[in-house]
Amino acid sequence: MIGENIHLMGLSNGGTAANVALKHYSNRLKSITYISTSCDVTKRTKAKVLLIGGGKDRSSIGLPSAQKKLTRCGTDARLFFEEDENHFIMVHKKDEIIDFLKNELFSN
């Protein structure tokens, strides 16, 4: 199937594209990752959904709740969330996030 190995990441305003992908194309993707953005879609999907954000970031403050809702729907949704981080979590926690992504995307 076309797209079965595609991993989509939406950073900040790119979360809009991630929401569209999750809503309409998620079953064609391997994973969808939200970074410092909101996840406004809740549905069951075969794509793994990864949520990365911080508690001091208005854009991503709702990610823990989104992860719980997605999980309740049957979606494999994982969360990397630091309460003391802001919108620039990718800068401040780069190594930890890379490890999280490697573990979630490439280990069986």
Side-chain angles (χ1 to χ4, degrees):
M1 172 185 223
I2 295 174
E4 66 186 24
N5 291 314
I6 294 174
H7 301 273
L8 177 75
M9 292 185 177
L11 171 63
S12 190
N13 196 35
T16 303
N19 280 318
V20 170
L22 180 57
K23 187 173 184 179
H24 297 290
Y25 307 106
S26 62
N27 289 324
R28 302 171 114 190
L29 303 170
K30 185 88 172 181
S31 72
I32 302 171
T33 302
Y34 290 77
I35 305 168
S36 295
T37 189
S38 64
C39 176
D40 299 330
V41 180
T42 304
K43 67 178 260 185
R44 181 184 177 109
T45 179
K46 71 176 188 171
K48 182 182 268 193
V49 177
L50 303 178
L51 307 158
I52 299 169
K56 293 183 178 179
D57 178 11
R58 283 191 257 167
S59 299
S60 61
I61 198 161
L63 292 181
S65 174
Q67 188 263 339
K68 289 175 186 169
K69 289 176 185 176
L70 286 163
T71 299
R72 279 195 298 264
C73 289
T75 294
D76 185 4
R78 306 296 174 96
L79 179 66
F80 181 97
F81 195 82
E82 296 283 335
E83 286 295 335
D84 291 332
E85 279 299 329
N86 59 29
H87 197 66
F88 302 101
I89 191 169
M90 282 294 295
V91 174
H92 303 143
K93 299 288 183 174
K94 177 185 75 167
D95 293 336
E96 293 96 328
I97 291 170
I98 289 171
D99 288 343
F100 171 75
L101 292 170
K102 284 181 184 176
N103 184 55
E104 294 298 332
L105 298 176
F106 304 112
S107 50
N108 293 327

